[in-house]
Amino acid sequence: MLPWFMYNYATLGRITISPAGGIGRGLWEGSWQATWSGRLQNELTHLADDIDDRAELDRRVTAVAAREGLPAGPMLEYVHQWENIRRIWDTPTDPYERVWARVEADHEYRRVALENLRHDSTFHLVYRLARGVFILWAGEIPIRYSDINKVSPPWIRAIWALQAALFALAVAGLAALVRSGRVAEACVLAAPIIYVTAVHFPLLTEARQSLPAQPVVLLLATIAAAHFAGYSLPLEAQVHEREHL
């Protein structure tokens, strides 16, 4: 990544990951994750994106809060933050000025995200961890994005349950490797899962972020299935060898 950092520094005069949206934006979106359901947060985001008049936006958001039986305060704070930072992002029309504005917007995203995190309760952080890990490893929905909201919740839960079962099998596969004395191999295979989880937890967590490590999950699940079926792992003592010993 060094050439990319050098390019950004030469062009923008600072080290930044991406002018279009770096750590700041992901951190801000992650600070709100698990506050509401995904569908409700998506609705709030669309309202903030579509309605420029602040009074009308507040009225619509308050109506959504009343419909859901939830407090309006956090929802209003969310859409106001979204609009305020987005204006920094979208206001310039000159392409070069817009690049600079997006870098500044990402800094503002990070500042506001840290303020949000300082006010979060311990319960919310724990809930975010649990929900974020679940979404990361079991939340993939293999349906066209525009059609997801048309799918009934039982089908969505069935898809999630299958992926959760595969991940549980992967954990069992790690345990099987350790019990068979393959500790080094278990550590190597666990490393991508731990790395992806650690990197993405503080940010907005989405199932697509775990895709590079999913082959490892499937491999570990296969190891667990073979173990439960009574097959010996490679280099594990065979039945006749154990009897001889």
Side-chain angles (χ1 to χ4, degrees):
M1 294 182 67
L2 183 60
W4 176 245
F5 287 140
M6 292 173 63
Y7 171 80
N8 283 340
Y9 185 80
T11 306
L12 302 171
R14 67 182 69 184
I15 295 176
T16 180
I17 291 180
S18 170
I23 295 296
R25 183 175 181 183
L27 191 63
W28 178 81
E29 292 180 341
S31 71
W32 285 102
Q33 192 171 27
T35 304
W36 309 286
S37 68
R39 295 192 184 198
L40 179 54
Q41 185 163 347
N42 182 63
E43 181 180 1
L44 294 172
T45 303
H46 278 292
L47 289 174
D49 190 29
D50 297 338
I51 303 172
D52 293 327
D53 181 76
R54 181 60 63 89
E56 175 62 15
L57 175 62
D58 289 358
R59 187 189 68 78
R60 294 280 297 276
V61 170
T62 302
V64 170
R67 183 195 72 201
E68 299 292 331
L70 296 171
M75 294 185 185
L76 292 170
E77 184 179 6
Y78 170 76
V79 296
H80 291 170
Q81 289 180 4
W82 196 97
E83 276 198 339
N84 292 340
I85 303 175
R86 198 70 180 183
R87 282 173 183 152
I88 302 173
W89 184 294
D90 288 337
T91 298
T93 56
D94 177 76
Y96 187 71
E97 290 180 0
R98 177 164 287 188
V99 170
W100 275 100
R102 292 188 172 188
V103 172
E104 294 301 326
D106 194 65
H107 283 238
E108 182 64 8
Y109 272 125
R110 186 173 68 246
R111 185 193 69 79
V112 175
L114 293 175
E115 287 295 322
N116 291 343
L117 292 172
R118 288 190 189 100
H119 294 95
D120 282 342
S121 65
T122 303
F123 172 79
H124 179 72
L125 292 175
V126 171
Y127 182 63
R128 259 197 67 206
L129 174 61
R131 182 170 173 177
V133 170
F134 180 86
I135 291 173
L136 190 63
W137 296 107
E140 177 66 20
I141 303 175
I143 299 170
R144 185 187 296 272
Y145 178 77
S146 57
D147 295 334
I148 288 177
N149 287 339
K150 301 174 185 176
V151 180
S152 63
W155 277 109
I156 297 294
R157 294 190 185 102
I159 294 171
W160 288 345
L162 176 60
Q163 294 174 87
L166 282 173
F167 190 76
L169 271 177
V171 174
L174 284 172
L177 285 173
V178 171
R179 284 197 299 269
S180 66
R182 308 295 295 271
V183 177
E185 290 83 349
C187 290
V188 169
L189 292 175
I193 297 174
I194 295 171
Y195 173 79
V196 169
T197 303
V199 167
H200 289 291
F201 163 64
L203 310 175
L204 175 67
T205 305
E206 297 178 337
R208 61 188 175 89
Q209 295 162 345
S210 68
L211 289 178
Q214 285 295 341
V216 176
V217 173
L218 294 176
L219 176 60
L220 288 169
T222 303
I223 290 172
H227 176 75
F228 291 141
Y231 290 97
S232 298
L233 296 174
L235 301 184
E236 194 176 31
Q238 304 299 306
V239 174
H240 68 278
E241 294 172 332
R242 290 196 293 268
E243 291 176 350
H244 177 72
L245 293 174

